[in-house]
Amino acid sequence: MIKSELVLKIAEQNPHLYQRDVEKIVNAILDTIADALARGDRVELRGFGAFSVKKRDARTGRNPRTGESVSISEKVVPVFKTGKEMRQRLNAPAPKVLKAAAAQ
């Protein structure tokens, strides 16, 4: 799902809101998360997961084409860890009806 599909889905579920307003809300949420990560803060959405940043130290890499050593500078990367409810939802057992239909 891409951001525009998310906006459409939320707008469909909330017909009292204009699509442009839903888009502003989604952008505000994502911008707030990005700003917090840029400051080095952690963002936790209970039941969904937690966003944080992790520092990767500088290292020496290798160019796969030439085999030449390349210096890679240190960087900060975003990390996402799923929440307990999300993990349970993703790993829920399939209903028995679907299993029986798939076996045929």
Side-chain angles (χ1 to χ4, degrees):
M1 175 180 287
I2 58 175
K3 186 165 58 168
S4 60
E5 292 171 343
L6 176 64
V7 169
L8 286 174
K9 182 134 178 114
I10 294 172
E12 287 173 5
Q13 292 174 351
N14 297 283
H16 61 284
L17 295 173
Y18 292 112
Q19 185 175 337
R20 67 178 181 265
D21 293 336
V22 172
E23 188 172 355
K24 287 179 185 178
I25 292 167
V26 169
N27 285 334
I29 292 169
L30 296 177
D31 289 343
T32 304
I33 292 172
D35 291 343
L37 292 175
R39 287 191 309 269
D41 294 341
R42 183 172 187 265
V43 178
E44 182 177 335
L45 304 171
R46 294 285 168 126
F48 183 73
F51 297 92
S52 59
V53 292
K54 196 173 199 177
K55 181 183 165 204
R56 287 197 182 161
D57 294 328
R59 60 188 172 89
T60 303
R62 204 176 54 102
N63 182 336
R65 272 193 197 167
T66 63
E68 175 184 344
S69 291
V70 178
S71 176
I72 301 173
S73 61
E74 70 177 18
K75 59 178 122 181
V76 178
V77 294
V79 178
F80 177 74
K81 182 177 180 188
T82 58
K84 182 179 177 183
E85 291 176 33
M86 176 66 76
R87 276 193 305 277
Q88 290 173 345
R89 201 168 173 181
L90 293 174
N91 293 307
K96 292 181 181 180
V97 175
L98 294 177
K99 287 182 181 178
Q104 293 177 359

